[in-house]
Amino acid sequence: MKFTKIKKQSLLPAYLIIALLLFSGKHAALFGQNNILVFQSDFGLKDGAVSAMKGVASGVSPDLKLYDVTHEIPAYNIWEASYRLVQTAPYWPAGTVFVSVVDPGVGTNRQSVVMKSRSGHFFVTPDNGTLTLVAEQLGIQEVREIDEAINRRKDSNESYTFHGRDVYAFTAARLAAKAISFEQVGKKLPAGVVSIPYQKATFENGQVKGGIPILDIQYGNVWTNIGKEVFNKLNIKIGEDVTVLVYNEKQKVYKGKVRYVNTFGDVKEGENVGYFNSLLNFSLGINMGSFSEKYKVQSGNEWSIVLTK
Amino acid sequence: MKFTKIKKQSLLPAYLIIALLLFSGKHAALFGQNNILVFQSDFGLKDGAVSAMKGVASGVSPDLKLYDVTHEIPAYNIWEASYRLVQTAPYWPAGTVFVSVVDPGVGTNRQSVVMKSRSGHFFVTPDNGTLTLVAEQLGIQEVREIDEAINRRKDSNESYTFHGRDVYAFTAARLAAKAISFEQVGKKLPAGVVSIPYQKATFENGQVKGGIPILDIQYGNVWTNIGKEVFNKLNIKIGEDVTVLVYNEKQKVYKGKVRYVNTFGDVKEGENVGYFNSLLNFSLGINMGSFSEKYKVQSGNEWSIVLTK
Amino acid sequence: MKFTKIKKQSLLPAYLIIALLLFSGKHAALFGQNNILVFQSDFGLKDGAVSAMKGVASGVSPDLKLYDVTHEIPAYNIWEASYRLVQTAPYWPAGTVFVSVVDPGVGTNRQSVVMKSRSGHFFVTPDNGTLTLVAEQLGIQEVREIDEAINRRKDSNESYTFHGRDVYAFTAARLAAKAISFEQVGKKLPAGVVSIPYQKATFENGQVKGGIPILDIQYGNVWTNIGKEVFNKLNIKIGEDVTVLVYNEKQKVYKGKVRYVNTFGDVKEGENVGYFNSLLNFSLGINMGSFSEKYKVQSGNEWSIVLTK
């Protein structure tokens, strides 16, 4: 459908196309990449690894806009890499290129890919599960394998352990700068990616069940993957209580009632709340406190949550 | 006065105005915002919150220059947010837009404002005390309330907990990109802001008293709010000793003499010094050591300091 | 030789010069600075110091591209500053200006310099050992002393403790923005810099000896300064074992065999490996583990390593 639109516009007179290009920020999805490159990794900020990647990108084109998701993904934690991408990508304009390097298999034969989402974003990464959530929530438009014969930094063949710099940053920069088209990344793959299995939110027998994919670490809030549509089947109104059970595997870690509110300021300091977070998922918190710390609740595949009225 | 200048220039011939615009970096105060947007928050850098804000700003205009003060303000610490702004804003060119989000009252009815300082900087923030020190030291030119009916990210009305992304970053980006004028932020408020009370530096009976607003955390130096003018009333010369008393509430935490010097290298390693820091406030340190750690001195409203000759 | 090239080009017709300028990214070495400014320091990211430096740079020219190596150099650790520069600078385009501020001697009479390397990079820093490794590996083209009578932020003479902001960032920004030429930095010095002595990699009597300049902290890998050429004298092939001894001064800290592989994925989880890192130096690691933590190996001048077949 997007292709159709491009064709139509190519019939417009040149001056109109130029006018459109002047406003291309808003139409980036039609024209592809938008010169913005956003980095994510588990490298941390204490050494020079992130800087080396940005240096390579600046060498491809000094006009790229280089930003970050985070470089504090816990080492090797592909699941969190996947979560942070889906937490942020939708807020960046279509045409933005993301490069995510959480790559415990670096130098082995896992595939290096670029996925274009239906939302018009590009994701450059090892295909090791990092794409799980963006593929699901933004949709897969097309996946291509990075052809390292072409898309690899010159003279980098002796280095096996830093594909972030030599392959991913380099390819992502060339793509963002339109030095290569999406097609020139490499051959088209079947439209699927490696996906990490996880518990989805469900409603059954008056109970909502869900997962705890991640913590809101800075404040100690506990984020579930239960969206409003599923939650609303409990028919609980703002100001009413929700009964909450949190499990680590089969072990009950927390049982209690929390007040369902819009925001923390709706209760006194130190009081527990249930609320919908900035991604509109049900979350647990304490006004001016840390739910996660107080009740020893963590996140990940082995954690689950049950809500009842 | 600035308005007068703008009027005069509008009488200049067009080519002169264009010439002036070409050099507008130097005259940003005359023409308003300068396309630079600087972020501060207590979000930390471990998740995607800062990136989501920058994504929203890039969506408003990919040509904005996006920078940071810090995102490591301790959670909910409005006083430190206020201090970090006044520590940095004067070094950025006039016309720079700052957005500071330390917002324990998010989603409640605290006011969301943009303050323009007499120095020509803009501050986009909840009006919760964050503006205390910039209002005082840079002066208030005008304060406007953000009209969320206009200045709020589309389709964000269901999210109550991330005004940093949905209101502040969005409004600040539109202001910095001149998509809106300062007047279009919303209605003009009385020229005052919510202010956190704190102990000012005084001289009385041969004693200088002051507060300890903050630590120079990386090195363990203790920064007071005693400027040169007040300190000089003690009539202590470079190379002479200062007698120092530090209190936590009424309790004496440190008593001793420190050498008053220009810089750390003026004494041996491990020796205590008193010096004027990069903001020209009297400070305590140890050459190659941590005064704060050695003597258990912290910062905040309950800490005070007394200096005598 | 580079000057000769510039002269030749100045004889070209204007349109060809313009054409060349359009591609100047690739020829930055010929034309000098490239508008990119990269910061490094031991300031950390918790306060406003880095932001103040970038504010000063933006005030010099809002069009500069401002990036970072890291600001998490351990306080006063000049050696690590030197290492992080050489780890990253070669990946940035020629013409990039680096400013590194790890400056325990701030305000004393250590020299403030700009070194141009043979690779066409500029380094603005106190000459206190920070330049050790870039001087050695990228080569010294020319060293100039910063003339603070000209190259110092206006009205900053009362501040003795933040040359990073008042002298280094200011001068580096003016250099990167071509507000001054390299010659205008100040008078030319003899082509040498203050250098930190360290153990080089050697081969003798069937043994390779080397130093452990730094850890790959995020993953706990141990990086030596033994390059491939020296290592290859042991005649060990991929897949074979290397016998490793690690010393802290004279004390043996680790003795064992590690498998020599291309990358971590070549062994099972938890197994030790020897491999060549992203800078092509011999390194020790554990697949999905931390060699440094498990065997209590640290880095620095007092650490050494011996390899045999």
Side-chain angles (χ1 to χ4, degrees), chain B residues 125-194:
Chain B
T125 181
D127 184 24
N128 57 10
T130 296
L131 294 168
T132 302
L133 294 171
V134 282
E136 198 179 294
Q137 292 183 33
L138 306 184
I140 301 176
Q141 171 105 343
E142 199 170 296
V143 183
R144 290 184 175 270
E145 181 170 14
I146 298 174
D147 181 350
E148 292 189 18
I150 308 162
N151 293 307
R152 187 179 175 116
R153 210 171 54 81
K154 227 179 106 189
D155 304 326
S156 70
N157 288 321
E158 298 222 31
S159 173
Y160 291 86
T161 57
F162 198 179
H163 283 199
R165 180 191 69 197
D166 299 332
V167 176
Y168 300 121
F170 180 71
T171 302
R174 300 222 303 160
L175 184 62
K178 303 193 188 186
I180 54 170
S181 67
F182 181 45
E183 288 69 27
Q184 289 171 309
V185 164
K187 72 167 196 283
K188 190 173 163 175
L189 297 173
V193 297
V194 172

Side-chain angles (χ1 to χ4, degrees), chain C residues 198-272:
Chain C
Y198 66 93
Q199 181 175 348
K200 311 234 160 132
T202 60
F203 175 78
E204 220 175 340
N205 304 326
Q207 287 191 333
V208 164
K209 284 188 187 170
I212 301 180
I214 208 134
L215 300 179
D216 182 15
I217 18 177
Q218 183 75 351
Y219 308 99
N221 303 318
V222 172
W223 286 10
T224 79
N225 62 351
I226 300 167
K228 277 209 167 165
E229 208 176 340
V230 175
F231 179 83
N232 283 341
K233 293 183 178 160
L234 291 173
N235 207 14
I236 298 174
K237 292 193 186 66
I238 285 285
E240 295 182 348
D241 282 350
V242 192
T243 301
V244 177
L245 282 159
V246 175
Y247 294 91
N248 181 357
E249 306 277 0
K250 305 265 161 177
Q251 200 194 336
K252 199 184 299 172
V253 174
Y254 171 80
K255 180 177 181 174
K257 282 176 192 295
V258 301
R259 181 95 60 86
Y260 171 39
V261 297
N262 279 327
T263 187
F264 293 84
D266 294 341
V267 300
K268 290 186 200 144
E269 275 192 38
E271 229 171 284
N272 297 350

